[in-house]
Amino acid sequence: MQATGRVRTETVFSERSVRKSLLLSAAAAGATASRSNGAGVPDIYRDMLVAADIAPSEPERPLKKRRPPGARRPELSGPGPASKAAAAATAASKGRREPQRIDDKTGAGVADNDSDESDSDEIEFEDVALPDPTIQTMERDSDEEEDDDEDEEPIQFEDVDLTLMNSFGLGDVQEEEKTPKVLELDLAAAQSKQRRQVAERRKPINREEKDRRIVVHKTHLLCLLAHVSQRNRWCNDPVTQRNLRPLLSSKTIDYLNPSTELTQFGRTNSLKRGLEDVMTKFKTRYKITERGMRRALWAEKEEHLKNYQLPDDIETPPEKSDFREMATTLEGSRDVGAQLFCALLRSAGVEARLVCSLQPLACTPGAPPMGKPPKSRGRLSLEEQYARIPKYDSSFESPVAAPSPLSARRRLGHPNAAAFNAPVMTGPVASSSSLAPQKIRESPFPIYWVEVLDEAHQKWQPVDPIVTESFWRPQKLEPPANDRENCMTYVVAFEADGTARDVTRRYAKAYNAKTRKMRVESVGDRGDRWWRKALRAYSRDYATDMDQIESNELNNLEAREPMPRNVADFKDHPVYALERHLRRNEVLVPGASAAGTVGAGSTGPLEKIYRRRDVRVARTREKWYRMGRTIRENEIPVKFVPKRVRKDNLFGGDDDDDDDDDDDESRMDDTGAAAGNPLYTIEQTELYKAPPVVDGRVPKNRFGNLDVYVPSMVPEGGAYVADEYGARAAFMLGIDYAPALTGFQFRGRQGTAVLHGVVVPAENEDAVRAVIEGLKDEEAEFARAMRSREVLRAWKRMLMNLRRIWAGVGSDDDEEEAQQASKSQHNDYGHDMAVDGHDVGDAEADEDDDTQGGFMREAPSSNGHGEGEQQDLEVDLAADSDEEEGGGFMIDDDYAGGFIVE
DNA sequence: AAAGGATTTA
DNA sequence: CGACTAAATCCTTT
């Protein structure tokens, strides 16, 4: 409504959409506003800026209409609209993942959820209403290795904000018309917070912010994948391919499809020759008239967002029909150029992949900010930052030109040094534009290119017909690190069948040292799994030979990556490690040999480089004990870490709760060692063997408990019974037992012991379990009896009331009064039941909630079936108490019957 | 929950 | 661009 109250962030990525949205937003402000704020658009948008020009993926066929504004969002689990919508995505999880599916879902398939258990916690994006940051839960795979992802145990894992998805133009498709996606931010709500934050604007990014960025990053990746996937599909379009046909001569086609009679090299040469032909033809015919995709940058400040203007020559996001047309006119962005080239090659029978270097918003801090837009002077704003070139000036080296974003300083030894400052694309401006011709300055490295399968050598080779005009030169495609408009982090190649592969390693020269650190993998929260999961939506469910070969190739490339030459790159390097970067509790294996040396900077002493595999974690005796291991005899600590000083230790003896065991041990050690706590590696430990149970006596620690941090700590001759009633049962049986100390909970000042279950002599286990069973039955029986009594009483009351009603028929007042009474009784009844149901056997269950750590978590729930039933009833009864009189009567009848009859 | 060291970030 | 440093944040411990 009030324009002042909100900030409008364009999440559309094209001129056309922007203009349209401006028109629309004025007219439909009310409508959009009402639907967009709702529960409050997540803050995540506030300083998010999408500078990348992602055309919203337009669905091949209309998606479902989105929900009305107020609609609740679908349940994440349980039956409901979401479950049926999810069917398609779920197919993926069942292992029969057809590439076809991708076509069906316009990329929404990325959200697939490999749940083996239920089909219901799936969401299709269009099913999600905009308000309320919707969290989609995916499950993570249990694997540890690279490629064999088999989901054994579904674990809750990734959160992707689906509203973001909407804002990127997926799923937020309204009606038939391709309405631009306008995201309105309810600033009113955010403003106070905003103020506070402005004050401390200079504060570094906190965790919350970091998390938000990660979510945005992931979401952006999903959108980009979907986007490229769609373009890749377009490359298969027969009409497009037919339109491109004039660019192919039959001779060229012959070259491109070399006879198998040729030698290996002959075939490759023929292919290259053909490619050269096509490239030349394509290059000369294709005119770059629009700016293509570029790297998305974060805005530092709100105002930057407000004043943000898309460049005039930004790409018009084509629809399929446009794409077909562009195949004829051969005009457009260089991205579309690469796509058309891909289509062209496919039409010529070449196996071609569409490759895109995704340009998502960074997930790590340290990425360049978007920067402040200049004072609004027309629409030249962004241009000014990059190339302030007078319209009529054809010179690249205009003195007023702002320093090129790709400044002369480049990464040392970058192989593209020569090409680096080369003049960039030029292209006549679209005739329809009123602007005079103007250069389009873009990164001298491509975002889109093509990979061609060299069948003779079983190798995919890059072909970039437009930007670098190179082929068979994977090294030439990576932009330097300081290229603000092009950052190579994820390179994804889409094959004609719709499947995709991450081929970043083929192109990134310092994948381990640098590239990796910009990817989700390096960011916490199981980023690697997330990315695999995201790509799995586009993966084949079986690996072809070619897939294998390529995997090997990429692994080799990674393995051959040269050692970093600077100290920083060794940090968190998957292969190498420096001593200075070792964690406090990390240590080098004794015989570790240096793999090389680095000097810090130009001057400075040389440091030895070790291999990561020679690094071990070291732990204190107590830590190992908590993991069920003990230090072997006569082991010498591999490391000493400084002791924590306790300043309030003057009054000793106050803190002796449960930790005394440990404290004693460490005190023994620290007598002579001012150096600190001794640490040991796992090789110096062995499995802890608890003193055995002999003659039915269970050994106990001095608190009368038994440490059972892990299952292996159960003593020989003993059995662990993970049950609340264990102690009582054992006591009743009169056998010796020890409560199991399964962990500690650090709450308040000191840790408190967590006891769960008991250890009893093995020969008594069955007896104990039997007794427990009995106890539970008894408990349940008692509860049932109580309940029955309650029910009967309630019935009685109700019948009495009814009698009163009947007796009073004829008098309105009486009737009303009686109804009132009846109703209140009814409510009481429900209430009573609820309380009752809850109380039963819950006292001990509460204890259970507090426990933490230890393996007792995996033990079967101690809350028997009886209580489960009761809980259900509680819910039902509570709900029923709101019913109308008559209905309640009937329903109650059923329940009451159930109680009594049983 | 709070302190203090470890680690990350600007 | 990388190393260094100070300051902020995270993590562990009690």
Side-chain angles (χ1 to χ4, degrees), chain A residues 488-520:
Chain A
M488 183 182 276
T489 321
Y490 306 88
V491 183
V492 181
F494 282 80
E495 277 175 50
D497 64 0
T499 60
R501 257 189 106 103
D502 181 351
V503 293
T504 315
R505 286 175 293 173
R506 179 165 15 248
Y507 299 98
K509 283 170 285 289
Y511 181 77
N512 279 325
K514 295 194 191 298
T515 311
R516 191 186 206 101
K517 289 175 184 150
M518 300 189 287
R519 294 165 53 110
V520 270

Side-chain angles (χ1 to χ4, degrees), chain A residues 125-193:
Chain A
F125 295 133
E126 59 269 28
D127 234 6
V128 179
L130 189 56
D132 191 13
T134 307
I135 300 305
Q136 183 213 5
T137 56
M138 298 167 97
E139 278 153 18
R140 80 168 171 220
D141 1 314
S142 57
D143 64 67
E144 211 58 66
E145 283 80 34
E146 302 248 298
D147 275 311
D148 59 320
D149 296 30
E150 216 43 65
D151 291 357
E152 307 287 3
E153 36 177 292
I155 306 164
Q156 290 303 309
F157 124 91
E158 215 30 82
D159 296 342
V160 168
D161 190 327
L162 287 182
T163 32
L164 267 178
M165 212 65 182
N166 282 334
S167 80
F168 279 104
L170 287 175
D172 185 6
V173 180
Q174 312 162 38
E175 332 281 275
E176 305 293 287
E177 211 199 343
K178 311 273 193 328
T179 332
K181 289 78 190 171
V182 181
L183 172 71
E184 307 238 359
L185 301 187
D186 187 358
L187 193 61
Q191 230 161 22
S192 56
K193 193 173 174 186

Side-chain angles (χ1 to χ4, degrees), chain A residues 792-860:
Chain A
L792 285 174
R793 203 160 43 186
W795 264 103
K796 192 174 163 194
R797 281 199 297 244
M798 184 179 288
L799 289 174
M800 299 285 272
N801 283 326
L802 279 176
R803 202 147 33 170
R804 277 178 54 209
I805 293 170
W806 287 327
V809 166
S811 155
D812 280 345
D813 289 344
D814 276 359
E815 184 175 354
E816 201 167 311
E817 186 187 345
Q819 274 190 6
Q820 206 63 38
S822 166
K823 191 163 191 170
S824 79
Q825 286 291 357
H826 195 105
N827 277 335
D828 282 353
Y829 163 84
H831 179 69
D832 284 346
M833 292 308 294
V835 170
D836 191 38
H838 192 74
D839 277 346
V840 175
D842 242 5
E844 310 221 32
D846 280 346
E847 219 173 82
D848 182 28
D849 288 340
D850 285 341
T851 57
Q852 179 186 341
F855 59 95
M856 76 290 179
R857 282 264 158 233
E858 277 140 49

Side-chain angles (χ1 to χ4, degrees), chain A residues 562-775:
Chain A
M563 228 179 242
R565 307 300 319 274
N566 59 348
V567 175
D569 280 355
F570 278 106
K571 190 158 189 196
D572 299 322
H573 196 287
V575 182
Y576 303 109
L578 293 187
E579 213 160 355
R580 70 153 79 177
H581 290 143
L582 290 184
R583 309 280 177 194
R584 174 188 165 81
N585 64 340
E586 278 177 343
V587 86
L588 282 168
V589 110
S593 64
T597 53
V598 249
S602 52
T603 168
L606 290 182
E607 288 184 52
K608 285 189 183 155
I609 299 162
Y610 298 94
R611 278 170 247 275
R612 184 68 60 185
R613 62 162 190 264
D614 288 337
V615 175
R616 297 280 184 282
V617 291
R619 297 182 220 272
T620 60
R621 185 179 290 274
E622 299 78 48
K623 275 265 172 62
W624 283 122
Y625 181 61
R626 297 264 166 96
M627 298 171 74
R629 315 203 116 244
T630 49
I631 316 295
R632 276 205 277 263
E633 298 275 321
N634 301 326
E635 288 289 350
I636 302 159
V638 289
K639 192 175 185 177
F640 290 90
V641 291
K643 260 227 169 92
R644 237 181 121 77
V645 286
R646 267 202 263 172
K647 66 176 191 185
D648 59 350
N649 213 11
L650 298 175
F651 315 96
D654 215 359
D655 58 329
D656 48 340
D657 251 356
D658 307 287
D659 296 330
D660 268 21
D661 275 332
D662 304 342
D663 279 20
D664 280 345
E665 286 185 61
S666 57
R667 260 169 215 143
M668 289 197 311
D669 287 323
D670 76 348
T671 45
N677 281 334
L679 302 183
Y680 305 86
T681 59
I682 191 164
E683 287 93 353
Q684 298 178 285
T685 67
E686 58 193 7
L687 212 56
Y688 171 76
K689 217 161 172 303
V693 175
V694 282
D695 298 336
R697 309 302 304 172
V698 181
K700 306 173 189 61
N701 67 19
R702 87 166 95 139
F703 297 97
N705 304 320
L706 184 59
D707 301 344
V708 191
Y709 302 118
V710 289
S712 68
M713 290 179 82
V714 175
E716 203 179 321
Y720 176 60
V721 180
D723 200 293
E724 310 302 328
Y725 291 91
R728 210 196 309 175
F731 179 79
M732 286 168 62
L733 284 170
I735 60 172
D736 190 35
Y737 68 95
L741 171 57
T742 51
F744 288 92
Q745 186 173 55
F746 291 102
R747 167 195 329 112
R749 272 293 156 89
Q750 73 247 1
T752 52
V754 170
L755 298 171
H756 184 267
V758 289
V759 175
V760 296
E763 62 267 25
N764 295 332
E765 180 181 1
D766 291 342
V768 171
R769 290 197 189 278
V771 171
I772 289 173
E773 196 75 13
L775 282 172

Side-chain angles (χ1 to χ4, degrees), chain A residues 402-434:
Chain A
S404 159
L406 314 167
S407 80
R409 268 199 310 200
R410 59 192 124 76
R411 197 145 26 130
L412 215 61
H414 194 288
N416 292 319
F420 191 57
N421 279 323
V424 259
M425 320 301 355
T426 78
V429 105
S431 52
S432 63
S433 167
S434 59

Side-chain angles (χ1 to χ4, degrees), chain A residues 2 149 177 225 242 259 528 546-547 683-684 810 838-839:
Chain A
Q2 325 88 323
D149 296 30
E177 211 199 343
L225 282 174
R242 201 182 320 126
S259 145
D528 49 340
M546 198 48 231
D547 289 338
E683 287 93 353
Q684 298 178 285
H838 192 74
D839 277 346

